[in-house]
Amino acid sequence: MKKILHDKQSSDFQTWKLLDDHQKKIAATSIKGHFRNETNRLEYTWLEWENFIVDISKNRIDREGFDLLLELAKEAGLKDAIEAQFTGAKINYTEKRAVLHTALRSPDNSPILVDGSNIVPELRATQEKMYAFCDKVISGDWKGYTGKSITHVVNIGIGGSDLGPAVVVEALAHYENHLNIRFISNVEGDHHSEALKGLNPETTLFVIVSKTFTTQETISNANSIRSWFLNQAPKDAISKHFVAVSTNTKKTIAFGIAIENTFSMKDWVGGRFSLWSTVGLTICLAVGPKHFRDLLEGAGKMDLHFRKTPFEKNIPLVLALLSIWYNNFWNAESEAIIPYTQYLRSLPAYLQQGIMESNGKSIGRNGKSLNYQTGTIIWGAPGTNAQHAFFQLIHQGTKLIPADFIGFKKSLKGNSEHQNKLLSNFIAQTEALMNGKTKDQVKIELDASGIDYNEQEKLTPFKVFEGNKPTNTILIDKLTPSSLGKLIALYEHKIFVQGVIWNIHSYDQWGVELGKQLANKILDEIEGKNSYPHDPSTLKLLSKI
Ligand code: F6P
């Protein structure tokens, strides 16, 4: 394998400097200006693949800038980095692990080696075990301790062990079966009490999901729920109502979960990339193995697209480069993700973990501080609701906020009147963000409304829209398990590309450790077991609890 790490600051790349100059050169040209200058603009800004259309034409970039971005990816050694990831190199350097969530959705059984061993046979066996279990629960053959079938499933987990399953279960609600699914994540007692409300222990299955099986929130919730359960059921009922997903079988056994009820996962699956693994057990219960397989199949297709497609037509890669363009050359502070469907209302929150836990790093792979921005800040909410909330700031605020608009041509329930309205908003917004509204247009409108001249003069500046706001449009046929798999995998690969170009380690998450350590100390203090020195603010806060 070629060397994929480099010792440079990425800002030392020759292309980085050229991009810096190029940004200055085209800064005064609007997106509309680029359309005027480039009669063939859609040739390179319109990407079509399978049932995806990605239109990147409404961006502050021209052909020369686009080519420079592609060149940057080459200079950063992206091609070798992609191969290293897919073939099991230990690219999670600080944890000394391979990164192979892609193996879980690989379309065939070609060997994938980790430490010289083929991981595919075991992962297929684990998948089959999960599918067989889910079939049994869904069909009602799996019986609780009083002989009744399962009606409710509660997923207990946090971070990647919650967000991935939760976002997909919500997104695929159209495909769900009769099982009623709930999620408990926060350590907050009120949250878990609410989630347990009305549950019958005889017909409830608890799925404890924790890669490490040491996470405070998950283990506290699991312990409290086990006590709640044992207040109503005998001890040997545990095996019919509690299953675990973890790499840590010692701990799952110690918790009391039978080995046959434990679904293993491997350390080469990162928490925030784990919904494709047994962490997706709750998804598989909610929609059944067929749809779960379709989800994997869709993601597998996106993997192939990412691995094999030339850079300029490679969707995750191009979107990653545009994001770098705004983050590093236009000083954009954040990006919005606006799915035009309520089914994807939690997608921005899910991607926050994926994107910000992965690329929120300030140390380069060479161990030195970086002298450029990394880690885009992601936020968003579904359209059209978002239009009535924060779109004001995107349209007329002072900040530059590039946005991804994600829409689906067909609705799932077939109400075309509503779908037409939804899609008209979807298209209108990106057009409006680009075109804005000029002073002359405002004047014509005000004239027509009959307002007197003085009043018109006063109102005009507030009604002008500067426009030139960049957007990507991702238009997909229909929200199916397969297209959802493609979409999530698209963003995963985008994260990877950005990490390579920024020269950071995207697959560790040391930044969440400090808070965990401190919380344990403070817990000791709240419970009166110990005391530690603190700053005056922390001391006073502690005295108030
Ligand atoms: O937030 C940090 C983190 O390690 C995530 O990466 C992970 O998804 C989450 O905690 C939960 O960890 P576990 O699955 O081990 O309980």
Side-chain angles (χ1 to χ4, degrees):
M1 191 185 71
K2 286 193 198 144
K3 187 169 181 278
I4 59 154
L5 306 182
H6 56 83
D7 302 331
K8 289 186 190 178
Q9 295 272 355
S10 298
S11 52
D12 289 337
F13 285 142
Q14 201 193 348
T15 329
W16 191 282
K17 296 188 170 76
L18 293 173
L19 278 161
D20 225 359
D21 293 342
H22 192 69
Q23 189 277 337
K24 290 183 186 98
K25 197 170 114 193
I26 66 166
T29 310
S30 66
I31 303 169
K32 278 195 284 184
H34 292 310
F35 268 101
R36 278 194 298 273
N37 297 341
E38 298 180 326
T39 45
N40 60 349
R41 184 165 173 80
L42 289 183
E43 271 173 27
Y44 72 94
T45 57
W46 184 268
L47 312 178
E48 272 196 57
W49 167 78
E50 295 242 333
N51 53 348
F52 274 50
I53 289 171
V54 178
D55 175 12
I56 57 155
S57 62
K58 294 187 178 90
N59 275 294
R60 297 181 182 181
I61 193 117
D62 62 356
R63 178 82 224 201
E64 195 183 335
F66 183 70
D67 287 343
L68 281 172
L69 285 172
L70 298 174
E71 202 46 49
L72 178 68
K74 284 190 202 141
E75 199 175 343
L78 189 67
K79 198 145 190 43
D80 290 335
I82 294 173
E83 274 320 288
Q85 162 158 293
F86 275 92
T87 52
K90 298 211 170 172
I91 60 168
N92 179 350
Y93 172 80
T94 65
E95 295 179 315
K96 301 188 174 42
R97 290 174 186 165
V99 177
L100 278 173
H101 46 279
T102 51
L104 299 159
R105 56 228 193 178
S106 115
D108 56 37
N109 286 329
S110 309
I112 300 169
L113 304 183
V114 173
D115 291 327
S117 301
N118 181 10
I119 60 168
V120 177
E122 192 186 337
L123 86 80
R124 292 283 177 250
T126 308
Q127 283 173 332
E128 290 309 323
K129 177 178 167 181
M130 176 169 92
Y131 298 150
F133 171 75
C134 291
D135 276 336
K136 227 171 151 185
V137 175
I138 295 165
S139 68
D141 288 347
W142 180 279
K143 304 289 185 204
Y145 70 99
T146 56
K148 292 182 183 160
S149 300
I150 298 297
T151 56
H152 288 70
V153 175
V154 181
N155 190 93
I156 309 166
I158 196 163
S161 299
D162 164 72
L163 287 163
V167 77
V168 175
V169 168
E170 198 171 85
L172 297 182
H174 177 71
Y175 303 87
E176 73 194 0
N177 52 41
H178 63 285
L179 293 173
N180 192 306
I181 312 286
R182 299 186 187 183
F183 289 88
I184 298 184
S185 50
N186 203 325
V187 74
E188 179 197 9
D190 293 345
H191 173 49
H192 102 242
S193 300
E194 289 294 341
L196 290 180
K197 241 188 207 169
L199 284 183
N200 178 356
E202 293 171 86
T203 54
T204 303
L205 178 75
F206 296 97
V207 182
I208 310 172
V209 188
S210 177
K211 186 174 164 181
T212 53
F213 225 76
T214 57
T215 305
Q216 186 204 48
E217 293 89 336
T218 303
I219 302 309
S220 303
N221 282 329
N223 282 328
S224 305
I225 288 167
R226 185 179 50 186
S227 304
W228 170 89
F229 181 81
L230 289 177
N231 274 337
Q232 308 164 79
K235 202 161 180 219
D236 62 358
I238 293 264
S239 64
K240 296 187 165 62
H241 293 271
F242 284 78
V243 300
V245 174
S246 187
T247 55
N248 193 341
T249 33
K250 259 194 199 149
K251 294 253 180 214
T252 57
I253 291 168
F255 184 88
I257 294 181
I259 195 75
E260 61 274 18
N261 290 349
T262 301
F263 297 85
S264 63
M265 61 184 293
K266 296 291 174 188
D267 71 0
W268 39 259
V269 182
R272 52 193 174 274
F273 302 94
S274 63
L275 70 89
W276 321 99
S277 70
T278 47
V279 168
L281 181 67
T282 302
I283 304 171
C284 197
L285 285 165
V287 297
K290 183 195 169 299
H291 291 315
F292 189 79
R293 280 196 178 96
D294 288 348
L295 179 83
L296 297 186
E297 178 239 29
K301 284 187 175 167
M302 181 54 82
D303 294 341
L304 207 62
H305 166 81
F306 176 58
R307 196 171 172 185
K308 301 288 178 200
T309 307
F311 281 9
E312 74 171 280
K313 294 286 174 204
N314 192 315
I315 294 170
L317 191 148
V318 165
L319 292 179
L321 291 172
L322 285 167
S323 169
I324 287 180
W325 175 237
Y326 292 114
N327 188 65
N328 296 99
F329 301 96
W330 289 84
N331 302 323
E333 290 153 3
S334 71
E335 281 173 20
I337 295 184
I338 321 289
Y340 272 69
T341 166
Q342 282 299 111
Y343 288 115
L344 292 184
R345 59 191 174 277
S346 299
L347 185 71
Y350 168 73
L351 291 176
Q352 275 174 342
Q353 190 204 14
I355 293 171
M356 291 157 74
E357 198 165 270
S358 299
N359 285 339
K361 314 281 164 68
S362 53
I363 300 295
R365 286 170 162 153
N366 56 9
K368 299 200 178 113
S369 288
L370 298 171
N371 62 8
Y372 46 85
Q373 292 286 320
T374 65
T376 36
I377 298 168
I378 296 300
W379 55 283
T384 59
N385 303 31
Q387 293 172 201
H388 299 272
F390 52 77
F391 267 43
Q392 165 66 37
L393 186 144
I394 302 185
H395 277 289
Q396 284 190 314
T398 53
K399 297 190 187 315
L400 169 64
I401 301 167
D404 285 357
F405 279 65
I406 303 167
F408 296 87
K409 288 186 203 169
K410 296 182 205 113
S411 69
L412 295 179
K413 312 281 188 204
N415 187 328
S416 61
E417 198 192 320
H418 281 262
Q419 182 67 4
N420 288 344
K421 286 178 184 156
L422 180 73
L423 288 179
S424 65
N425 276 279
F426 174 68
I427 304 278
Q429 284 295 331
T430 59
E431 191 180 31
L433 284 164
M434 174 174 77
N435 286 335
K437 197 190 262 184
T438 63
K439 214 170 163 182
D440 290 344
Q441 287 171 311
V442 173
K443 282 207 178 290
I444 292 169
E445 275 183 18
L446 288 174
D447 264 345
S449 71
I451 296 175
D452 75 58
Y453 180 78
N454 281 345
E455 194 57 17
Q456 280 188 27
E457 285 295 296
K458 276 191 213 155
L459 280 179
T460 300
F462 303 104
K463 290 182 165 263
V464 167
F465 287 63
E466 182 193 323
N468 203 27
K469 312 288 186 205
T471 58
N472 297 310
T473 297
I474 301 173
L475 180 60
I476 306 166
D477 267 9
K478 199 172 155 182
L479 179 55
T480 61
S482 169
S483 56
L484 181 67
K486 290 172 186 168
L487 182 68
I488 295 176
L490 184 169
Y491 279 101
E492 287 180 348
H493 295 314
K494 180 179 169 190
I495 293 169
F496 171 76
V497 172
Q498 293 186 303
V500 172
I501 293 179
W502 286 326
N503 198 25
I504 54 179
H505 292 303
S506 297
Y507 293 113
D508 58 22
Q509 56 286 315
W510 300 108
V512 291
E513 293 303 317
L514 178 63
K516 284 189 198 170
Q517 286 164 6
L518 288 181
N520 283 333
K521 273 190 173 179
I522 297 216
L523 179 61
D524 276 357
E525 294 194 74
I526 291 177
E527 291 178 343
K529 292 182 188 156
N530 222 330
S531 67
Y532 300 97
H534 290 287
D535 60 88
S537 154
T538 308
L539 276 177
K540 190 151 189 187
L541 284 169
L542 271 170
S543 75
K544 299 288 174 196
I545 287 177

